[in-house]
Amino acid sequence: MTPDELADAVSMHRARLLAAFRGEEPWEPVAESYGVTPTGAREAELRACLEAVATWGRDAASRLGPPGVGITAHLADLVRETMNEIAPAPTTGGKAGLAMIFANATASVSWWKERYGKVKTIYVARCRFCGGKQTTALAFHCPYCGRFLYADPKQA
Amino acid sequence: MNANQQALVDRWQSFLAKIHERLAEICVEAEAGVRAIAAQHPEDQMPVSNAITGLDHRVRQLRDKIQETWDAQVEDKFSADPEIHDVGLDMKQDSEVLLDEKWSLAKAAWMSEIAREAFGRAMAAMEKPVPCSSCGAPLNLPTRIELVAATCTHCGVVNQAAPSMAIQYYFGWCVQNLADAAALPHRHAVERQRIVADRWRRDRNWAAEPVESLEEWERLERRYWETVAHERARLRNEPVDQKYIDSRMAYFYKYSLESNQQWVRAKGRHGG
């Protein structure tokens, strides 16, 4: 498993937990599959499931060698950010008729996060043919096989 | 002003004051909501921007009530008495301008507070070492607030290193909000100067605006854009972007001053 595959796996676990938490599938069997016994306190159960995923992710990452910054940040924020996401929108604004504005403001946040997840902030360009890594800034031919690093969209 | 005129002015003033009271209520509740959303999404500007867009619409609806009420119930009464027609119109305009100013100042204060809270998170993120994505050795980055290509001194691979979300949030969105907030009084000064100039012309049967007044407009407009650019440069620890100021002023000359024949006769055109 590569760091990218691990990050994808963590995102998939997170998406599945969120979907079940929101009622898209029965919550109890999902929680049990992460080793969490349902107690009726759904938010605490979700947190425990996320912590189990984070622990599993950290173990898997440590077996991959030096930790990549992307997966480390992803795991560090997993529990906090997901719990923030399921927190209800601010209920203020009732008197001035603003409650709907605040509900709408946060309505699409989880939609974007689930599809695009964490933004990678460190990236190394690799040759699409031999996997060689870029070693000179602004030089986009592979230092090993000499071919251009990026595919030409005009060529099939 | 006779008793009837005074009574009409008082009734209009009382209506306008109610609109401002309503704005104050909106501001109190909006501040709590905006700050709660910012705390809930500390590295994502979209939810706060969404909320501000919705609130802007709500305040616009409130502002529209002034015009609607003027058209439907008030204008006829002021028009019937030419002595005070302009008084009613000026009260309306002053109230609308004050409403806009209060709303923009309230938003600027919230955005500035959110930015000040984000600063600490950005500094903490900047202190974290950034490891090479290939070998994990710490990268020596020339800046943490821009996307840079950095060659790892350990394994020789080129890393494209973008600022983390906390850094992007502060040095992108928050810094712009702080710069806008710092320059806001200058924008209000421009708007007030235009009202004074318009009323001066109205009192003189719509005489041409003197060049000195247009020069004052130019000076205020330049001060606004300079303040935005200087504040942004100060907060990002970068040189002032003079090209940004020049480009904003070029639009201003082209679409504002150079559509005024007095100005063109006195100053010519900047070109373009």
Side-chain angles (χ1 to χ4, degrees):
Chain A
M1 188 187 279
T2 67
D4 282 351
E5 286 166 346
L6 177 57
D8 287 345
V10 170
S11 294
M12 283 169 64
H13 282 295
R14 178 179 171 282
R16 185 184 178 211
L17 284 166
L18 276 174
F21 184 82
R22 290 178 176 137
E24 291 170 28
E25 63 176 299
W27 167 251
E28 286 75 13
V30 172
E32 280 171 357
S33 71
Y34 287 86
V36 174
T37 308
T39 57
R42 293 272 294 269
E43 287 190 15
E45 290 164 23
L46 175 63
R47 180 182 287 280
C49 290
L50 290 164
E51 279 165 358
V53 173
T55 303
W56 167 81
R58 275 191 287 272
D59 285 350
S62 70
R63 288 194 294 274
L64 294 175
V69 71
I71 186 66
T72 307
H74 193 23
L75 290 167
D77 295 340
L78 178 73
V79 178
R80 178 177 58 83
E81 289 200 352
T82 311
M83 294 310 290
N84 269 346
E85 245 181 85
I86 57 111
T91 52
T92 181
K95 192 179 167 201
L98 308 180
M100 189 58 77
I101 290 173
F102 294 123
N104 285 339
T106 52
S108 60
V109 172
S110 57
W111 189 92
W112 286 103
K113 277 205 171 159
E114 278 165 31
R115 277 153 189 81
Y116 300 103
K118 301 282 296 181
V119 176
K120 263 189 177 180
T121 54
I122 302 280
Y123 165 76
V124 172
R126 286 169 179 266
C127 174
R128 65 203 161 99
F129 296 103
C130 72
K133 295 172 183 173
Q134 187 186 19
T135 53
T136 307
L138 302 177
F140 298 106
H141 285 87
C142 175
Y144 302 100
C145 72
R147 285 184 281 191
F148 197 63
L149 294 179
Y150 300 100
D152 182 346
K154 288 187 289 237
Q155 292 171 5
Chain B
M1 205 177 284
N2 63 38
N4 286 343
Q5 290 170 333
Q6 190 61 54
L8 180 59
V9 165
D10 289 348
R11 278 208 303 281
W12 184 220
Q13 186 57 53
S14 158
F15 170 80
L16 295 172
K18 280 199 175 71
I19 294 283
H20 281 257
E21 281 168 24
R22 188 91 184 100
L23 176 71
E25 284 171 18
I26 290 174
C27 285
V28 168
E29 294 201 22
E31 178 177 10
V34 167
R35 294 184 64 151
I37 287 178
Q40 209 172 331
H41 303 278
E43 294 177 3
D44 186 356
Q45 70 196 57
M46 191 173 70
V48 172
S49 299
N50 288 345
I52 292 292
T53 303
L55 292 166
D56 278 337
H57 178 67
R58 183 74 190 81
V59 171
R60 216 162 28 243
Q61 286 176 322
L62 184 65
R63 190 189 197 276
D64 287 348
K65 281 193 200 313
I66 298 176
Q67 184 67 46
E68 288 163 10
T69 306
W70 171 260
D71 291 342
Q73 302 171 38
V74 183
E75 186 178 18
D76 285 353
K77 295 184 180 67
F78 274 98
S79 294
D81 186 347
E83 248 183 65
I84 58 164
H85 181 252
D86 287 348
V87 173
L89 265 181
D90 288 353
M91 286 168 68
K92 170 178 160 300
Q93 187 181 40
D94 290 342
S95 179
E96 288 168 337
V97 169
L98 188 60
L99 191 94
D100 292 343
E101 287 187 4
K102 283 179 181 171
W103 177 236
S104 56
L105 286 168
K107 286 190 293 182
W110 309 335
M111 294 296 121
S112 299
E113 193 52 39
I114 289 170
R116 282 189 277 274
E117 283 166 11
F119 177 73
R121 295 194 299 271
M123 291 303 106
M126 284 173 85
E127 282 168 12
K128 282 186 192 164
V130 177
C132 168
S133 140
S134 183
C135 72
L139 292 171
N140 187 15
L141 300 175
T143 174
R144 298 296 306 276
I145 67 175
E146 299 283 358
L147 172 68
V148 286
T151 303
C152 175
T153 51
H154 185 71
C155 71
V157 158
V158 177
N159 287 257
Q160 312 292 331
S164 72
M165 295 307 285
I167 297 172
Q168 288 182 37
Y169 182 84
Y170 176 74
F171 282 97
W173 190 61
C174 290
V175 162
Q176 186 60 47
N177 289 337
L178 287 168
D180 289 343
L184 194 57
H186 300 308
R187 174 52 57 204
H188 293 163
V190 171
E191 285 156 7
R192 283 195 290 267
Q193 194 260 353
R194 298 320 299 149
I195 290 172
V196 169
D198 264 0
R199 290 182 186 174
W200 183 93
R201 291 185 58 225
R202 184 185 66 192
D203 292 346
R204 288 158 184 79
N205 199 23
W206 300 106
E209 184 176 352
V211 171
E212 293 73 24
S213 172
L214 296 169
E215 284 172 341
E216 172 71 355
W217 184 11
E218 178 194 27
R219 193 180 66 74
L220 293 172
E221 187 74 25
R222 182 174 293 282
R223 197 168 63 178
Y224 171 78
W225 292 112
E226 282 175 348
T227 306
V228 172
H230 280 260
E231 187 64 0
R232 205 165 53 193
R234 187 181 74 81
L235 293 168
R236 288 175 62 93
N237 195 19
E238 289 174 348
V240 173
D241 186 351
Q242 188 59 43
K243 280 187 182 165
Y244 171 78
I245 300 171
D246 294 343
S247 74
R248 298 300 91 191
M249 288 304 290
Y251 273 100
F252 171 68
Y253 286 120
K254 185 171 179 182
Y255 294 108
S256 297
L257 285 179
E258 290 175 5
S259 62
N260 183 305
Q261 289 309 305
Q262 291 287 108
W263 177 269
V264 174
R265 271 198 291 275
K267 306 277 185 177
R269 289 184 191 277
H270 273 243

